[in-house]
Amino acid sequence: MQQRRRPATPFLWGASTAAHQVEGNNLASDWWAREGRQAGMARSGDAVDSYHRYDEDMRLLAAAGLNAYRFSIEWARIEPVRGEFSRAELAHYRRMIDTAESLGLEPVVTLHHFTTPAWFAEAGGWYAADAVERFCAYVERATSILGDVRFVCTINEPNMLAMMSSLARAAAEGRLDEWQSPTVEGGRPTVFPAGDEATGRLLIAAHHAARDIVRARTNAAVGWTVANTAPEALPGAAGRLAAEQWIREDLYLEASRDDDFVGVQSYSTMTVGPDGVLPTPYSPTNTLTGVAYRPDALGIAVRHTTQVTGGMPILVTENGIATPDDSLRIDYTDAALRGLFAAQVDGADVLGYLHWSLLDNYEWGHWDPTFGLVAVDHETFERRPKPSLSWLGEVAKNDAAVQRKGTDE
Ligand code: BGC
């Protein structure tokens, strides 16, 4: 293994977004095509027009006192037609990086966040014989704008992507006709199947190949971001829990051991019985994505990731709650951070905390689950920061002051 890269940054405090969920009009992507086809699925449309308003969005973050912004660059824009790369779109994303840097925000750049170009999906997606090669061709071009970027995430939530890819293949083969959102299924208690191991191995190969390109062509620390499950076993289900956690999470954590960092993404817990994962029972305290209110999941996830990866540096790349009640968002985040710092005291190597999400955005087929620190008017695109944004900014500023004091002494 080559020596791990560890950029000299202060603790990163910020928020995350993903291109398709905020930019709008991601016309050449597989999700755009899918939104048009499937009944009951809200369209992303203009999303929140962050493609044109990223400057304003980043200014809100910086003004609140935060120092990092995780966003994704969109493969479907950069390579809308196979083999045809858009210099203008690369320049657009380079401007985003420059804007972040000029505002004192550390850009954390994700190369793939659930969407692909439609042509890639039509050619078989990750199951096509040349899928890794095609992804790497995109990553090579993308690295041309990433020279000075210090944190790059290759693939967002490969474990969720494996599940979505398996389901998309089942639908294409006529074995499944219902649309499934990665995070919400119409409020019904749904248990998503785990992605199969073969699909997971394809994504691992893609990640490792992309990682090598990023390392060769940039100075960035590189990793991927895994959806953490924080499972709990019912009596008699410990064995089943280990099996479920391996196929849903640990397969991907183990594959990150030679990376520079690993992204932890945590929202809630999952309950496992002797026959498998159980649907979350209805409760008035469930969040708008139908999961249990469990801010302690983050601490559980960070401890588990530390253990499985042998103590790798962890960047919390997503953590948040879908709720219309912003004071609940503050309570949730406060409790999650306490769990995070307790894990840190116990030895977890934590590089930063990036909240999901900066904006109320397009939640993969739905608009109701609002995760944002900032609300957006869908007619005018006016940004309305919520109290949670300034609250998180204060937490960051206090932490920075404590760190400064520590180095002065
Ligand atoms: C994804 C985001 C999503 C969030 C909240 C994660 O699975 O990376 O794209 O919006 O969770 O559901």
Side-chain angles (χ1 to χ4, degrees):
M1 186 192 111
Q2 76 168 70
Q3 187 154 21
R4 221 167 242 152
R5 291 180 180 174
R6 189 182 184 103
T9 56
F11 192 87
L12 300 184
W13 283 104
S16 296
T17 59
H20 189 77
Q21 295 179 267
V22 297
E23 287 182 341
N25 300 299
N26 189 13
L27 305 180
S29 70
D30 59 339
W31 270 82
W32 185 268
R34 190 176 183 194
E35 288 161 24
R37 275 201 313 267
Q38 291 189 253
M41 184 178 189
R43 299 199 58 131
S44 53
D46 286 326
V48 292
D49 195 31
S50 203
Y51 185 83
H52 300 106
R53 294 165 202 263
Y54 64 84
D55 183 286
E56 183 182 350
D57 295 338
M58 292 190 205
R59 277 176 201 283
L60 287 172
L61 262 182
L66 297 159
N67 67 4
Y69 183 42
R70 171 177 176 238
F71 58 91
S72 70
I73 62 174
E74 181 56 56
W75 183 5
R77 289 188 197 273
I78 293 172
E79 192 184 2
V81 173
R82 183 183 164 130
E84 301 216 1
F85 294 89
S86 165
R87 287 184 297 279
E89 294 291 357
L90 284 165
H92 167 83
Y93 289 115
R94 183 60 232 182
R95 281 194 294 277
M96 285 186 73
I97 293 164
D98 291 340
T99 303
E101 288 173 351
S102 72
L103 291 168
L105 296 171
E106 185 77 44
V108 177
V109 178
T110 305
L111 302 177
H112 180 282
H113 194 124
F114 290 167
T115 46
T116 66
W119 61 260
F120 179 82
E122 279 155 20
W126 295 102
Y127 301 105
D130 64 349
V132 173
E133 204 183 311
R134 302 266 51 91
F135 181 57
C136 286
Y138 153 66
V139 173
E140 279 224 32
R141 293 295 175 122
T143 53
S144 67
I145 58 161
L146 300 176
D148 59 341
V149 168
R150 296 197 284 184
F151 292 92
V152 170
C153 310
T154 59
I155 299 176
N156 178 71
E157 293 191 349
N159 42 348
M160 294 294 281
L161 184 62
M163 180 269 287
M164 285 188 271
S165 300
S166 321
L167 291 176
R169 182 166 59 173
E173 292 169 356
R175 290 184 279 120
L176 177 92
D177 53 16
E178 229 181 301
W179 179 72
Q180 309 236 2
S181 161
T183 47
V184 194
E185 196 44 48
R188 280 184 289 135
T190 307
V191 174
F192 288 109
D196 58 81
E197 184 179 342
T199 308
R201 300 262 173 225
L202 291 172
L203 298 177
I204 289 169
H207 166 58
H208 287 163
R211 179 189 65 194
D212 292 348
I213 295 169
V214 173
R215 279 190 173 147
R217 296 172 60 99
T218 77
N219 293 316
V222 59
W224 67 356
T225 64
V226 177
N228 293 88
T229 56
E232 294 173 330
L234 291 184
R240 184 66 191 236
L241 179 143
E244 293 287 352
Q245 192 165 21
W246 187 81
I247 189 65
R248 289 170 188 268
E249 177 179 352
D250 294 355
L251 170 63
Y252 304 90
L253 293 177
E254 284 168 9
S256 74
R257 274 172 168 258
D258 290 339
D259 298 356
D260 298 312
F261 69 91
V262 59
V264 159
Q265 313 210 144
S266 170
Y267 293 90
S268 185
T269 54
M270 134 186 135
T271 306
V272 182
D275 299 324
V277 177
L278 301 170
T280 309
Y282 173 76
S283 157
T285 60
N286 284 354
T287 77
L288 290 176
T289 48
V291 299
Y293 178 84
R294 289 294 299 269
D296 56 329
L298 180 60
I300 298 170
V302 166
R303 287 171 194 273
H304 179 75
T305 301
T306 296
Q307 187 217 322
V308 174
T309 62
M312 278 192 60
I314 287 171
L315 181 57
V316 178
T317 37
E318 290 185 23
N319 170 250
I321 176 174
T323 176
D325 177 353
D326 196 53
S327 61
L328 191 64
R329 186 178 336 279
I330 293 174
D331 291 350
Y332 173 94
T333 309
D334 185 55
L337 287 173
R338 285 174 201 278
L340 174 66
F341 290 127
Q344 195 181 32
V345 166
D346 289 342
D349 183 2
V350 186
L351 302 169
Y353 173 86
L354 307 177
H355 191 81
W356 185 270
S357 180
L358 175 61
L359 303 157
D360 283 346
N361 59 27
Y362 176 70
E363 180 58 29
W364 306 112
H366 306 265
W367 283 102
D368 295 337
T370 42
F371 282 92
L373 301 168
V374 177
V376 182
D377 182 309
H378 285 264
E379 290 298 317
T380 63
F381 303 115
E382 185 200 338
R383 272 59 177 153
R384 297 182 189 136
K386 303 178 193 177
S388 52
L389 177 66
S390 47
W391 174 84
L392 189 62
E394 287 307 312
V395 173
K397 284 189 263 184
N398 290 338
D399 178 62
V402 171
Q403 288 191 29
R404 266 199 309 277
K405 197 157 167 277
T407 40
D408 291 349
E409 274 163 5

